[in-house]
Amino acid sequence: MNALHQSGKTVAEIQAITGLSQPSVDGYLSYTRQACRMTEAVLQSPGLERYRARLAAETRLGQALVQGEEQAIRAALWDALVQFAGYPFQTAKGLRFSYRVKGGELFFTRKEKSVTSATVYIALDNALALQRQGLPVSGPKKLNCFGASYLYPVLMRVGVIQEGASR
C-alpha cells in the first residue's frame, strides 16, 4: 500500500485497486499521512487548550519569579495552581494525587482537609528564601508547612522549586 501511495496514487485509487475500505487503507498508510488530515476541531481540542493555558500560566509565573515582585509572584502562582487543577501529580513517596481549587483553597484527592492560599504562600516564601540563600529545596520537609508533601511536587511542576538551582 505504501508503495502505491508513494507512486502518487490517492486513497480512493488504492481502494479501487485493493478493494479495501477507506479506514483500512488509512490504517496501512504511514502515520505521517494521518497527521495531515487533522481537522480544526482536533487542533482546538479541550485537552490541547488546557495544555496551552497551563503552559501560559507557567510562563507568566517564570517571568514573575525573574522580576521578583512578591504580589506578582503570588498572583501568577495562584493562576498556575488554578490551571493545573486536575493534573496528575506524584508525592515524593510515589503516591498519585490531584487537586481541585474551590475559592482560596486546594482540595487534594488523598486528604480530607484543605490547604488554604495562605499556606500555599508560606510554602512559596519558604522555598524562595531557601533558594535565594543558595540552598536546595531537597524535599517536602524543607517547605515547613501543612500539606507540604502535596505542595512540594506541585511547586516543582509549576517551576517555583528548581532542582539543584538557586534563585
Side-chain angles (χ1 to χ4, degrees), residues 18-116:
T18 61
L20 295 173
S21 67
Q22 188 255 334
S24 295
V25 172
D26 283 341
Y28 284 110
L29 296 178
S30 64
Y31 288 111
T32 57
R33 177 82 175 138
Q34 299 292 328
C36 296
R37 295 185 184 173
M38 278 197 232
T39 63
E40 192 68 24
V42 170
L43 294 173
Q44 294 179 349
S45 70
L48 193 53
E49 299 273 332
R50 270 193 311 276
Y51 169 76
R52 288 179 180 145
R54 288 173 178 158
L55 186 61
E58 207 173 353
T59 302
R60 284 190 300 274
L61 178 58
Q63 291 169 347
L65 287 167
V66 169
Q67 293 171 355
E69 185 184 324
E70 184 178 339
Q71 290 302 326
I73 292 171
R74 288 178 178 216
L77 173 61
W78 195 258
D79 179 45
L81 292 176
V82 168
Q83 293 302 325
F84 276 87
Y87 186 87
F89 290 96
Q90 196 169 10
T91 66
K93 292 186 177 183
L95 302 172
R96 299 180 69 80
F97 72 93
S98 63
Y99 66 87
R100 62 185 171 86
V101 179
K102 186 175 179 185
E105 296 178 281
L106 303 178
F107 292 87
F108 294 97
T109 55
R110 300 190 63 87
K111 161 179 192 82
E112 301 277 326
K113 296 183 180 181
S114 66
V115 173
T116 64

Side-chain angles (χ1 to χ4, degrees), residues 85-162:
Y87 186 87
F89 290 96
Q90 196 169 10
T91 66
K93 292 186 177 183
L95 302 172
R96 299 180 69 80
F97 72 93
S98 63
Y99 66 87
R100 62 185 171 86
V101 179
K102 186 175 179 185
E105 296 178 281
L106 303 178
F107 292 87
F108 294 97
T109 55
R110 300 190 63 87
K111 161 179 192 82
E112 301 277 326
K113 296 183 180 181
S114 66
V115 173
T116 64
S117 60
T119 304
V120 171
Y121 297 142
I122 289 170
L124 170 70
D125 293 342
N126 291 343
L128 292 179
L130 284 170
Q131 291 179 114
R132 285 182 183 130
Q133 294 171 12
L135 302 171
V137 184
S138 55
K141 289 184 180 181
K142 297 283 187 174
L143 296 178
N144 198 25
C145 68
F146 178 75
S149 59
Y150 298 103
L151 291 174
Y152 178 76
V154 173
L155 293 179
M156 281 196 63
R157 176 62 186 87
V158 298
V160 171
I161 297 173
Q162 307 265 322

